[in-house]
Structures are given as C-alpha cells and as structure tokens.
C-alpha cells in the first residue's frame, strides 16, 4: 500500500505529515486540509484529483512553501522546512522545484528562449552551460524553430510546452503541475501529458500532477484523491 | 546583471517588439519637463548674464573708495595696474571719478540726476561709450558740456545741442558763508542709453575737471573704477581680496581706502535675480512631478495587471527585494531616458530659439511689439553646468521615487494569492 512510511536510504523528495490548513472566511473558518500525509520518492510521479475547491492547489502551494501550514510537518529531501523563513525557502525552491500552471504564465515581454532562461537568471547570471540547456530543452519540447518567438504568437499547447521547458530549466527534483491541460483541447492535452511524463522521467525528476482527467491521472506511478481535507490513495484498474 | 534589472529593462523595452507604449509616454512626459526647465533656466541665465555684463560694462568690476575724498591717487593707480594674481596682470584699466547729484533745469523743470565726472581718456577703457551713445560723441566732451542719459533727456525734454543749467548742492554751503554760487550753463553734446534702467533714467556724465570744480574737490576724487582683464569675471571676489591686501600694505595710501567688487555693490539686486531663477526652477519642477505621477499610476497598473506573473516570479524563487528593485529601477530608467531626451530637446530648441520666437511672433503678428516692449531682437541663452546637473538629478530622483510605490506593492503580494488571483 502506498502512503505508509517505508524505510529507505534515500529520503523522499517530499514528505508531509498531518498537514492542516484553514482559511479564514469572514467569521467562519474553511478547513481545506485536515491532516494530509503524503510522501513521494525520488523519480516517482503522483497524480491528485479532487473536486473544485477541495484544496489541491492549496496543497501544492504548501508543498512548495508558498503557503504556510497551520500545523503538521513538511520535509524536502528529508529536511524539515515548514519552520523556515520564506526567504530561505525561496532560494531553495528556485533550484529544487519547477512549476507548471494551467494558464502557463509566460512573460509576454520576453521571447521564448528568454522565458526558459529566466528560471536560471533568477538564481544569478546565466552561464553558457545554462544557455545551452535552455536551447536543448526548447528543442526537446519541439519548439526548436521558435526560440525568438514572442510568447503571444504561440498556441496554448506550444505555450505549455515552453512552460515545461522552463520548469525543467534548473534541473529540479520535483515538478508541480497544477491542471496543466486545463486550457488545452483533448488531443493537445493528451500529448502534453505524454511529453510531461516522458521528460520528467528523462530528467529523473519527481512529479505531482493535479488534474481532473482520469486518463491522465492513471498514467502516474501513484494516484490520490483529495476529499474532505484528506488525501486518499486511488487504485487504477489496468 | 541581476534579474531584477534585466526584467525591468525587458518590461520597458520588450524583446522583439518596438518600445512599449507606456515607456514612450513616460519618457515623453519626463523629457518635456526637463526640456522646459532647461530652456527656461538657460534663457533666464541669458538675460541674467546680459544684465550682469551690462552692470560690469557700465560700472566696472571693482570700485576703490576711501569714504572721503582721495587726493593723491597716482600711487594707487600704479599699484593697481601692477597687481598680479596667479602670476598674471589682471587689471586692464583704472579710471578716477567723482560723483554726486546736481539740480538740472531745462524749461524750468527741475530734476536731480546723478552726475559722474570722469576722465574720458581713462574711462573709455572701461565703458564702451560709443556702443551706448545714441547721438553725439564723447570727443566733444569738454569742461563746459555734458552727456546725458536717454531717460533724463526725455524727462527734461533736452536734445543734443541744448544748454542746461546745472546747480551744485554746494550752493547751500556757500550760502551759509554768504557767498553766491550761480548755476552753471553746460551744453548737451551727447545722449546715451545703456539698457540698464537704473543708469538710463537719471544720469549725467561730465569731465572730471568740471565735477571737481563743481563740488569744490580741487584735484581730489571720490574713487577709482577698475576693469579686469577679460576672463577673470568669475574670480572677481578673490581678486578684490587681493586688491584689498595690496591697499592695506601700501604706506602712503589714504586711510580707509578699500575695494568693493560689483558683486558686493549689487548684492541685493543679484540676489533677487537668483531668487527669481530658483522660484522658476521650483515651479517648473512640478511639470516633472506631474509626469512622475503618470509613471506611478502606469507602473501601478502594470503591477496589478502582472499580478500572476509576479506570483510566478515569487514561486520561481524571486525575493521581495528583487521585485522592489525591478520596479524602482524602471522608474529610474524612465528618469534617465526622459532626462537625456529632455536635454537633447532643450539644446535643439535653444539652438533654434530665435527662429522659434520669430515664428511664434509672426503667427501672432507681434514682431514689432516684441522689440518695442521687451527690447529684445534676439533671445539670449546661457548654459550653466549646474542647471543641467540639478535638473537631471531631480528628474531621475523623482522618477525613481515614482517607481517606489508600485515596487512595494509588487513586493508585498503573497505569491499564493497572486497566483490564485483571477
Ligand atoms: N487565500 C485564501 N483565502 C480564503 N480562502 C481560500 C484562500 N485560498 C483558497 N481558499 C479556499 O480554499 C479552498 C480550496 O481552494 P483550492 O484553490 O486549493 O482548490 P482546488 O482544489 O485547487 O480547486 P480547483 O480545482 O477549482 O482549482 C477553496 O474553497 C478556496 O475558496
Ligand atoms: Mg486549483
């Protein structure tokens, strides 16, 4: 059974214990996460499904340190991080976690290549090695001819592929993808997920994929459903 | 280059596109302010310089006076002409004078003009008489004639060749001693106009000898006018100090003899001129301030519009300090761009200022009025490095500050909420 703590020499890329998260809403309090335990081994992929408003995005934000927990513990590579300052986390996050969002969030004032390289730039002056990597990734996601293209001239699928290249730029250990196919048509979405899984494996990264699509969810190593503040493992048939 | 500067530049000048509309507008706003400031300040400098030149032209750089009549002044003149400052002779000419007031009557209108008695041979080295004379000639000036200012001529209705009666204030002194001193008849041999109203309104020139007689000075004078060699205008205060040192050392110089620079003598007036300029600077600074508000509001809109991207940057590891730098730097760049363009525009406008004034005057059909009322046929302009520095500094500082509010707004966004923002 997945989710039970197993003894391993390699620490999990990410591990959460008893995460509780509430949001104030006027006089009431919304209980979004009510004790979430989660663990993802190096190189593994996981999917999370759940109704709208069930707290999937909130959970990803907590995992990446963008949002603080009410209680519970969070580990990155076996190190406890939920008590660290946001500044400290930001520095680690830039090299360890890559993000993919439903709405791409590419910067329109940069061309494609610059968008991908921006991930490296945020950590300091990009080295030639990193420039080469940005180029390699763009080629790998099938945008070889579009290096100097303005983001606004690309289709949704192309944009999401560029976002994937950007997410992988700094060789992160973990990719967080929040409904990456939400704005894409079915075929494009399917091939996007194929590419995502392929490249995550190639790069040896781990992945947490939030999706509403059962078919996509079934492609990851493990699957969960977030319901009533708890994460439940899901078994796929075939 | 840190990412914040990189991104700031990219937001203002996006890749693969022309300038962003916002950058163009903001830079135009700042540059207009800068241009206006430079043009106005430079033209004011021009007028100021004309006035200052005029003061020096009519009254010399320095005056040496003793507070009483100086009788033996040959030694002083010689010492002054020999004065060395930084190894150079800096005094070009020295001219003795006596001055006072007289009562003038022409067709029974009495006025009380200032009168200056000078030795034309010396004085011509200091005052360009020929430039100022509108009729007559200084060569005709003898001990029975005077040259009068245009304002005075108008007031008493005198023309060249007319005979005036001059009465000395000495009349009263003499009366006390029961002596009678009759007014003296003099011929007007010239009329002058300097453009410097204080002098033009009410002045009269005569020979030193006539003045000495008139005031009973024997061969005494009231003081000496000094003109410096060209190019030492800026150092007049230092040279005045040197002259005073010299005057203190000389043993047979009269008691209390001292030099005053024209800056000392016109301190109040020059202060008003400077004040006028400062006020102008302050007022026109508001033009830049207004464009700074435009920068603030546009940048604020950008920050709000880019909420998600700012959230993304934070997710990718951007620290709040970097975001502050990014938007503040945009204000800074707009300031630098605006200042540069503004200076270029100002120099262009100033280089063609007379064409511009002429053109505007022609449109409104006011060319004659311009000359008649403002007494200028060309617009003076004078560049001062300090003006440029101040204007540029203010433009850049104000624009940078304008970026600060949007910058803090951006840095205080919570990444999770920014990303969630719909
Ligand atoms: N900052 C916040 N303040 C108040 N409530 C919040 C905040 N962030 C999230 N919530 C609430 O928490 C709940 C979970 O939100 P979340 O975005 O995590 O859902 P989700 O599972 O990602 O939904 P979707 O599938 O629509 O993206 C929602 O009810 C939302 O309104
Ligand atoms: Mg969500």
């Amino acid at each position: 059974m997945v989710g039970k703590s197993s003894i391993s020499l390699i620490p999990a890329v990410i591990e959460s214990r008893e995460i509780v998260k509430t949001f104030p809403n006027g006089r009431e309090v919304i209980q979004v996460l009510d004790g979430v335990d989660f663990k993802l081994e190096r190189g593994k992929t996981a999917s999370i499904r759940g109704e709208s408003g069930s707290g999937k995005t909130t959970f990803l934000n907590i995992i990446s340190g963008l949002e603080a927990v009410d209680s519970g513990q969070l580990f990155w590579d076996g190190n406890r991080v939920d008590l660290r300052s946001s500044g400290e986390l930001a520095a680690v996050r830039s090299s360890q976690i890559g993000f993919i969002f439903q709405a791409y969030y590419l910067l329109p004032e940069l061309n494609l290549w610059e968008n991908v390289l921006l991930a490296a730039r945020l950590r300091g002056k990009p080295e030639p090695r990193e420039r080469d990597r940005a180029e390699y990734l763009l080629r790998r996601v099938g945008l070889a001819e579009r290096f100097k293209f303005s983001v606004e001239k690309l289709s949704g699928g192309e944009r999401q592929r560029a976002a994937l290249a950007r997410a992988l730029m700094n060789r992160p250990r973990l990719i967080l993808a929040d409904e990456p196919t939400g704005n894409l048509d079915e075929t494009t979405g399917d091939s996007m997920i194929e590419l995502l899984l392929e490249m995550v494996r190639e790069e040896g990264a781990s992945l947490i994929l939030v999706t509403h699509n059962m078919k996509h969810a079934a492609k990851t190593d493990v699957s969960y459903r977030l319901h009533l503040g708890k994460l439940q493992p899901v078994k796929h048939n075939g | 280059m840190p990412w914040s500067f990189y991104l700031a530049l990219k937001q203002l000048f996006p890749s693969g596109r022309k300038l962003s509309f916002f950058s163009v507008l903001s830079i135009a706003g700042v540059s207009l302010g800068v241009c206006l400031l430079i043009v106005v300040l430079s033209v004011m400098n021009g007028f100021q310089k004309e006035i200052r030149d005029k003061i020096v032209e009519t009254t010399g750089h320095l005056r040496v006076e003793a507070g009483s009549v100086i009788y033996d002044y040959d030694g002083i003149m010689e010492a002054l002409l020999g004065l060395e400052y930084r190894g150079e002779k800096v005094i070009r000419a020295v001219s003795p004078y006596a001055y006072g007031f007289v009562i003038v009557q022409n067709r029974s209108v009495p006025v009380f003009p200032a009168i200056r008695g000078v030795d034309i041979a010396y004085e011509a080295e200091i005052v360009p008489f020929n430039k100022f004379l509108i009729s007559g000639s200084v060569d005709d000036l003898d001990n029975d004639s005077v040259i009068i200012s245009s304002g005075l001529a108008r007031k008493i209705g005198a023309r060249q060749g007319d005979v005036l009666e001059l009465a000395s204030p000495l009349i009263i002194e003499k009366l006390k001693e029961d002596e009678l001193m009759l007014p003296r008849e003099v011929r007007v041999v010239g009329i002058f106009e300097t453009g410097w109203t204080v002098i033009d309104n009410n002045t009269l020139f005569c020979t030193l000898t006539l003045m000495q007689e008139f005031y009973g000075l024997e061969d005494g004078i009231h003081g000496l006018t000094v003109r410096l060699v060209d190019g030492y205008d800026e150092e007049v205060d230092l040279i005045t100090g040197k002259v005073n040192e010299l005057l203190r050392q000389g043993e047979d110089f009269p008691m209390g003899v001292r030099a005053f620079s024209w800056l000392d003598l016109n301190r109040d007036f020059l202060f008003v001129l400077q004040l006028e300029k400062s006020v102008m600077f302050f007022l026109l600074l508001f033009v830049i301030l207004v464009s700074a508000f435009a920068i603030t509001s546009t940048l604020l809109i950008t920050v709000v519009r880019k909420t998600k991207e700012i959230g993304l940057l934070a997710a990718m590891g951007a620290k709040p300090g970097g975001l502050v730098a990014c938007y503040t730097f945009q204000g800074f760049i707009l300031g630098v761009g605006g200042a540069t363009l503004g200076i270029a525009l100002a120099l262009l406008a100033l280089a063609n200022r007379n064409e511009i004034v002429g053109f505007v005057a022609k449109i409104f059909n006011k060319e004659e009025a311009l000359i008649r009322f403002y007494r200028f046929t060309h617009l003076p302009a004078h560049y001062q490095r300090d003006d440029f520095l101040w204007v540029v500094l203010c433009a850049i500082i104000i624009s940078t500050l304008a970026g600060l509010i949007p910058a803090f707004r951006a840095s205080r966004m919570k990444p999770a909420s920014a990303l969630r923002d719909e």
Side-chain angles (χ1 to χ4, degrees):
Chain A
M1 190 152 167
V2 206
K4 253 194 185 154
S5 56
S6 52
I7 297 161
S8 161
L9 288 179
I10 308 166
V13 165
I14 201 93
E15 182 172 357
S16 77
R17 289 184 199 151
E18 288 293 313
I19 298 274
V20 174
K21 180 70 183 175
T22 57
F23 285 114
N25 180 23
R27 241 174 282 160
E28 293 168 38
V29 168
I30 309 173
Q31 177 97 25
V32 182
L33 302 177
D34 187 15
V36 174
D37 291 314
F38 178 80
K39 189 169 180 180
L40 189 64
E41 304 297 335
R42 180 80 57 88
K44 297 282 184 202
T45 58
S47 61
I48 300 177
R49 290 197 300 130
E51 290 139 41
S52 184
S54 58
K56 304 182 294 297
T57 300
T58 304
F59 182 55
L60 289 192
N61 284 343
I62 283 173
I63 281 180
S64 62
L66 289 176
E67 194 117 61
V69 296
D70 290 1
S71 69
Q73 298 168 348
L74 180 68
F75 299 86
W76 289 356
D77 275 319
N79 303 312
R80 187 159 177 194
V81 294
D82 52 282
L83 299 174
R84 295 217 202 147
S85 75
S86 61
E88 253 179 287
L89 290 184
V92 184
R93 188 166 55 232
S94 69
S95 63
Q96 309 255 336
I97 303 180
F99 292 85
I100 303 176
F101 300 97
Q102 177 174 349
Y104 332 119
Y105 299 157
L106 297 170
L107 304 191
E109 55 270 4
L110 304 181
N111 64 29
L112 258 199
W113 183 68
E114 290 166 339
N115 259 292
V116 175
L117 199 58
L118 181 65
R121 210 179 271 279
L122 283 166
R123 304 170 54 203
K125 188 177 179 303
E127 290 164 23
R129 172 169 66 75
E130 291 171 309
R131 291 165 185 272
D132 292 346
R133 177 163 169 80
E135 202 175 314
Y136 159 75
L137 285 170
L138 275 175
R139 265 185 227 291
R140 180 66 188 83
V141 298
L143 293 170
E145 261 83 71
R146 305 265 205 285
F147 283 11
K148 297 269 152 92
F149 254 58
S150 146
V151 171
E152 280 151 342
K153 288 189 195 140
L154 298 180
S155 73
E158 288 168 329
R159 288 188 202 199
Q160 199 59 295
R161 279 187 276 151
L164 171 60
R166 179 179 65 189
L168 289 169
M169 178 64 219
N170 292 338
R171 300 179 193 278
R173 297 198 179 152
L174 177 66
I175 298 285
L176 300 179
D178 194 350
E179 296 183 45
T181 58
N183 285 1
L184 304 177
D185 65 65
E186 205 181 322
T187 347
T188 316
D190 289 351
S191 57
M192 180 68 220
I193 293 298
E194 288 302 331
L195 183 66
L196 171 63
L197 288 169
E198 213 178 288
M199 290 198 63
V200 162
R201 287 191 181 120
E202 247 174 61
E203 299 276 330
S206 309
L207 167 75
I208 301 178
L209 170 69
V210 166
T211 180
H212 287 292
N213 188 314
M214 287 238 269
K215 212 169 52 181
H216 296 165
K219 292 190 189 247
T220 54
D221 298 330
V222 287
S223 297
Y224 298 90
R225 180 163 174 256
L226 189 57
H227 186 61
L228 298 175
K230 304 264 194 218
L231 208 53
Q232 306 160 343
V234 176
K235 274 225 169 74
H236 298 292
N237 311 318
Chain B
M1 181 165 38
W3 67 266
S4 41
F5 293 172
Y6 167 80
L7 209 59
L9 282 170
K10 284 292 177 186
Q11 294 204 343
L12 294 174
F13 313 105
S15 291
R17 258 184 292 169
K18 300 212 179 67
L19 284 178
S20 80
F21 186 58
F22 156 64
S23 315
V24 172
L25 269 190
S26 306
I27 288 181
V30 176
S31 65
L32 268 179
V34 167
C35 173
L36 208 61
L37 260 169
I38 298 269
V39 167
V40 169
L41 292 183
S42 298
V43 170
M44 285 186 85
N45 285 339
F47 277 118
Q48 231 186 73
K49 190 170 171 347
E50 289 214 335
I51 292 174
R52 292 166 74 112
D53 287 350
K54 202 137 274 172
I55 296 178
V56 171
E57 259 183 351
T58 49
T59 64
H61 286 106
L62 259 60
R63 292 241 175 113
V64 175
E65 293 187 353
S68 60
V69 180
I70 306 170
Y71 285 100
D72 195 6
Y73 54 87
D74 286 349
I76 300 179
M77 275 180 84
E78 213 166 288
L80 286 175
L81 285 168
L83 177 84
E84 286 198 357
Y85 171 77
R86 296 206 189 131
E88 303 272 345
K89 290 220 165 101
V90 289
I91 291 180
R92 186 170 104 183
V94 181
S95 165
Y97 64 82
Y99 72 100
F101 289 89
V102 279
I103 306 160
V104 176
Q105 248 175 321
N106 187 39
R107 300 188 209 132
S108 72
V109 190
V111 286
F112 307 88
I115 183 165
R116 289 179 67 81
V118 294
D119 193 328
I120 289 295
Y122 289 119
E123 191 76 2
E125 290 289 309
I126 294 175
V127 179
F129 281 108
N130 289 332
K131 178 172 158 189
F132 296 143
L133 275 176
I134 50 181
S135 81
S137 160
V138 279
D139 300 336
D140 296 340
L141 193 66
D142 57 19
N143 292 339
D144 289 307
S145 55
V146 291
I147 297 176
I148 63 176
S149 66
S150 59
L152 179 62
R154 241 189 321 269
K155 230 183 288 180
I156 58 176
R159 298 219 204 118
Q160 192 189 338
D162 284 3
V163 174
L164 307 178
E165 284 191 343
L166 298 194
S168 157
L170 223 57
I171 289 176
I172 300 159
E173 290 297 314
K174 297 268 162 149
L175 270 180
K176 283 187 199 155
E177 292 157 28
D178 278 342
E179 279 179 51
L180 203 56
M181 186 179 179
L182 289 175
R184 185 163 172 155
E185 289 197 339
V186 291
R187 228 164 1 96
V188 177
V189 294
I191 296 174
F192 70 90
E193 183 167 288
T194 61
W196 172 222
T197 25
V198 181
I199 291 178
D200 288 348
N201 276 347
N202 222 9
T203 313
L204 200 143
F205 272 91
C206 65
T207 59
L208 187 57
T209 318
L210 176 59
M211 189 61 192
Q212 283 167 337
E213 253 174 57
F214 213 59
Y215 262 59
L217 299 174
E218 291 161 21
D219 60 353
I221 57 165
H222 285 131
L224 296 152
T225 311
V226 175
R227 170 131 197 193
L228 299 181
V229 172
D230 287 346
Y232 284 96
D233 285 11
E234 298 301 321
E235 281 147 290
V236 67
D237 273 331
L238 290 173
I239 294 173
T240 308
K242 264 266 193 254
V243 169
N244 277 324
E245 221 170 90
L246 178 87
L247 292 175
R248 267 198 303 278
Q249 282 162 3
E251 295 193 350
D252 32 324
F253 294 159
M255 279 279 290
V257 66
R258 265 200 67 190
F260 304 88
S261 76
W262 71 277
L263 294 175
D264 294 327
L265 296 169
N266 297 284
R267 198 70 68 195
D268 292 345
F269 178 70
L270 293 173
F271 173 74
V272 171
L273 279 187
Q274 198 50 44
L275 187 70
E276 220 171 48
K277 195 176 143 189
S278 307
V279 169
M280 214 60 188
F281 180 86
F282 181 71
L283 289 179
L284 289 177
L285 210 53
F286 278 85
V287 178
I288 294 183
L289 219 55
V290 169
S291 50
F293 272 111
I295 293 180
T296 303
S297 61
T298 337
L299 275 179
L300 259 182
I301 293 169
T302 313
V303 167
V304 172
R305 201 160 45 87
K306 289 190 175 295
T307 298
K308 289 203 189 102
E309 284 151 19
I310 290 169
L312 169 94
L313 289 173
M316 294 204 312
K319 298 219 179 84
L323 289 168
V324 171
C326 177
Y327 285 92
T328 315
F329 192 56
Q330 290 191 38
F332 173 79
I333 296 170
L334 293 173
V336 171
T340 312
L341 186 66
I343 286 179
L345 283 178
L347 292 179
L348 196 71
L350 285 169
N352 298 298
R353 60 185 183 275
N354 291 317
E355 285 79 0
I356 295 173
V357 169
F359 180 70
V360 172
K362 209 169 251 153
I363 290 180
F364 294 107
N365 225 343
K366 290 273 160 53
E367 274 172 302
E368 276 177 38
L370 217 57
I371 295 165
R372 189 144 41 99
F373 292 116
Y374 297 100
R375 290 178 181 285
F376 67 79
T377 43
H378 76 285
L379 206 55
H382 179 66
Y383 305 117
Q384 255 175 19
R385 200 194 50 200
D386 281 4
D387 290 346
F388 283 70
L389 284 181
W390 276 111
V391 170
V392 167
L393 208 65
C394 284
I396 292 177
I397 287 176
I398 291 174
S399 307
T400 309
L401 290 179
L404 222 55
I405 297 170
F408 276 109
R409 167 87 205 240
S411 74
R412 290 189 52 189
M413 281 181 184
K414 292 220 172 73
S417 331
L419 285 167
R420 192 181 295 277
D421 183 76
E422 288 305 314

